Amino acid sequence: MRAGTLPSTAYDDMPYTRGGTVERAEVGALVRSAVDGDAAAWKALVEGLSPLVWSVVRAHRLSDADAGEVYQTVWFRFAQHLGRIREPDKAGSWLASTARNECLKVIKGLRRLMPTDDPQLLDRVSEERTPEQSVLDSEEAASEAERIRRLWQEFAALGERCRQLLRVLMASPPPSYQEVSAGLGIAVGSIGPMRQRCLRRLRARLDAGEAL
């Protein structure tokens, strides 16, 4: 069963940038209906929870090709296990955890293929246009474009863990802390404090740049 069709550009046209169409409270009922063969329920799940899947995938900085493969694999496995999910209401956490595991498999495979263990060489930048670049290109005012450019520049200078967490939390609709925990392997109780620390670091970097 296919979970959806991947567009030619991996991120720009995906629901990650538009927000989902399903409320978290509806997930359990939709899963049960999909198990009974309701195609509309399956479509609602894919459209509504794709933002969460993409946010986890993007947090691991895979290439567009690898990200697209992981996205399809996650939904394929979800379809395979649909009738065996013990807590349908927590399908989002199941998807986030599966997305994280599939991303780690890809990264592990890349490390075996690369003739170096330098993590900087594994943190590849996609050749496709990113959502950030699209935002910059669409800005009409040069000053606003510069402000956004600096924001992402300082964001890129944060530690990898901060970048992963903030990328996932920027998904629309925002994931629950349980889903973030499943997707990134961070204890639920640590997410809030870590988010605040990361945002303070980002603000400090931005303020330091303005003072120069």
Side-chain angles (χ1 to χ4, degrees):
M1 181 185 300
R2 288 180 63 82
T5 301
L6 188 69
S8 58
T9 53
Y11 301 134
D12 293 347
D13 298 329
M14 291 307 298
Y16 174 83
T17 60
R18 301 197 300 267
T21 58
V22 62
E23 295 294 332
R24 188 170 291 112
E26 301 174 358
V27 170
L30 287 172
V31 169
R32 287 184 282 271
S33 294
V35 170
D36 292 335
D38 187 337
W42 173 259
K43 180 180 179 182
L45 284 169
V46 174
E47 291 180 349
L49 294 176
S50 281
L52 173 62
V53 175
W54 271 119
S55 67
V56 173
V57 173
R58 291 190 67 238
H60 288 81
R61 303 292 296 277
L62 302 181
S63 69
D64 284 348
D66 289 336
E69 187 67 26
V70 168
Y71 173 83
Q72 292 288 353
T73 299
V74 169
W75 283 107
F76 178 73
R77 298 204 186 289
F78 185 63
Q80 284 183 312
H81 292 84
L82 194 60
R84 300 194 296 272
I85 294 178
R86 295 179 180 179
E87 298 180 275
D89 294 345
K90 297 182 180 179
S93 293
W94 191 99
L95 285 165
S97 180
T98 301
R100 175 175 179 263
N101 290 337
E102 292 298 326
C103 287
L104 293 178
K105 286 181 185 178
V106 171
I107 293 171
K108 186 176 180 180
L110 289 172
R111 285 173 177 163
R112 285 199 299 265
L113 293 173
M114 296 290 286
T116 177
D117 58 358
D118 184 354
Q120 292 184 346
L121 294 180
L122 299 176
D123 193 20
R124 299 168 299 160
V125 178
S126 166
E127 294 180 358
E128 298 286 345
R129 287 167 55 81
T130 64
E132 293 86 355
Q133 289 170 330
S134 296
V135 171
L136 288 174
D137 292 343
S138 67
E139 290 296 332
E140 297 180 358
S143 59
E144 184 67 7
E146 175 61 18
R147 184 187 70 81
I148 294 176
R149 186 194 67 79
R150 282 205 59 250
L151 173 64
W152 288 110
Q153 181 181 46
E154 299 302 339
F155 177 86
L158 293 175
E160 177 66 18
R161 212 55 174 146
C162 277
R163 295 199 302 271
Q164 285 187 332
L165 179 62
L166 294 180
R167 281 181 181 275
V168 170
L169 291 175
M170 283 189 292
S172 177
S176 68
Y177 275 15
Q178 287 74 22
E179 292 165 346
V180 174
S181 176
L184 298 181
I186 302 173
V188 171
S190 300
I191 294 172
M194 183 176 174
R195 173 180 178 273
Q196 291 301 320
R197 289 196 299 272
C198 292
L199 290 176
R200 282 198 296 269
R201 290 175 191 171
L202 180 59
R203 170 49 61 187
R205 295 189 66 88
L206 290 169
D207 289 344
E210 292 174 357
L212 294 178

